[in-house]
Amino acid sequence: AQSVTQLGSHVSVSEGALVLLRCNYSSSVPPYLFWYVQYPNQGLQLLLKYTSAATLVKGINGFEAEFKKSETSFHLTKPSAHMSDAAEYFCAVSDRGNQFYFGTGTSLTVIP
Amino acid sequence: GAGVSQSPRYKVAKRGQDVALRCDPISGHVSLFWYQQALGQGPEFLTYFQNEAQLDKSGLPSDRFFAERPEGSVSTLKIQRTQQEDSAVYLCASSPSLDRDKYFGPGTRLTVT
C-alpha cells in the first residue's frame, strides 16, 4: 500500500527565505513521487516528479526535491521564496499504476 | 492549447437531488481520472478510464456515484440522491497514457445543503 504524510499543514516564510515543505512516503514497491501546487480556485499543477532516475529532481519555478530512500522522504525546497509561491502544495506517491495517493497538503504563506 | 475543463465550476444541490459533473479532457488524451477533494484534504481517487473503458472504480464511495465516458472523450460523474458528505471539490485529470503526466482541471465545487 502507498501513503504520504506531509508534516505541517501551514508553513510561513519571509520573502527571500528558504522554503522547505516536508513529505514522507510509504510504499511497498519502488515509488514514483510528485509535488503539485494548487492556487485558489485552480486545478493541480505538476511542479516536479521522481521516477527512479536522478535522486535530485528540479522542477518549475525554482523548486527542487531530493528522493532519500533511507529516510523515505521527498522534501520540496526553494532557496528564495517569492510572493507568487503562496499556494497549497501536495505531495503524492504512485505505485506506477493508475492510482495516486495524495497527502493532506501544506499551505505556504509568504510574508513580505 | 486548451487544458482540461470542467463544468459547472460551482454547484449547489439540495440533499436528495441528483447532480451531473462534466469533464472535457485534453484532446487525444487516453486516460481520464476523477478525484474527490474534501475541504482541507488532499484529492482522493474515485475512478479511472482508458478511452471509454472504466478500468478502475474502486474509489467510488457508494453506488450513488456513477461515471461514464461513452465515446472516450468527455466524461460525466453523476451523483444520485446527494448527501451532505458529498460536498467536496471534484477534480478531473487527463493524460496521454497511464504512465504520462496528469493534467488537472480546475474542479467543480459541490455544496449539498
Side-chain angles (χ1 to χ4, degrees):
Chain A
Q2 285 72 38
S3 67
V4 163
T5 301
Q6 291 185 242
L7 298 176
S9 58
H10 297 276
V11 171
S12 293
V13 300
S14 297
E15 190 174 15
L18 171 72
V19 176
L20 171 61
L21 304 183
R22 300 179 185 274
C23 173
N24 288 88
Y25 70 91
S26 172
S27 179
S28 55
V29 298
Y32 285 172
L33 293 159
F34 306 80
W35 275 100
Y36 284 86
V37 61
Q38 187 176 35
Y39 297 100
N41 298 316
Q42 295 187 27
L44 299 167
Q45 180 183 4
L46 180 66
L47 277 177
L48 49 80
K49 63 180 179 181
Y50 166 78
T51 57
S52 75
T55 56
L56 181 63
V57 181
K58 294 186 184 297
I60 62 172
N61 302 338
F63 284 94
E64 63 181 37
E66 185 172 8
F67 172 69
K68 293 187 176 181
K69 184 178 179 180
S70 62
E71 299 178 7
T72 61
S73 69
F74 191 58
H75 301 331
L76 181 71
T77 61
K78 181 174 180 178
S80 177
H82 191 275
M83 295 299 294
S84 61
D85 295 328
E88 189 86 15
Y89 292 81
F90 291 94
C91 182
V93 62
S94 168
D95 61 359
R96 310 182 183 203
N98 59 284
Q99 294 212 18
F100 265 35
Y101 300 88
F102 286 89
T104 53
T106 297
S107 177
L108 176 65
T109 299
V110 182
I111 303 166
Chain B
V4 178
S5 61
Q6 294 185 245
S7 60
R9 291 293 314 278
Y10 304 91
K11 177 68 178 178
V12 179
K14 292 184 178 180
R15 192 174 65 174
Q17 284 185 330
D18 297 348
V19 298
L21 312 180
R22 177 187 170 105
C23 172
D24 284 81
I26 293 172
S27 178
H29 279 196
V30 169
S31 299
L32 186 145
F33 308 80
W34 283 99
Y35 292 85
Q36 180 190 58
Q37 185 177 15
L39 187 64
Q41 301 296 315
E44 292 192 357
F45 171 81
L46 292 177
T47 187
Y48 158 64
F49 289 86
Q50 184 170 305
N51 295 308
E52 70 278 4
Q54 189 175 21
L55 299 186
D56 187 344
K57 54 182 181 179
S58 62
L60 295 177
S62 77
D63 59 6
R64 297 185 295 103
F65 286 71
F66 172 76
E68 60 182 6
R69 194 186 185 197
E71 298 180 358
S73 178
V74 172
S75 178
T76 303
L77 176 67
K78 298 179 179 178
I79 309 173
Q80 298 177 325
R81 305 180 303 281
T82 53
Q83 303 294 315
Q84 281 194 316
E85 61 263 28
D86 300 335
S87 295
V89 175
Y90 291 85
L91 295 168
C92 176
S94 71
S95 68
S97 61
L98 180 59
D99 59 346
R100 299 281 299 278
D101 290 349
K102 293 179 173 60
Y103 295 82
F104 283 82
T108 294
R109 182 177 298 277
L110 172 66
T111 303
V112 181
T113 61

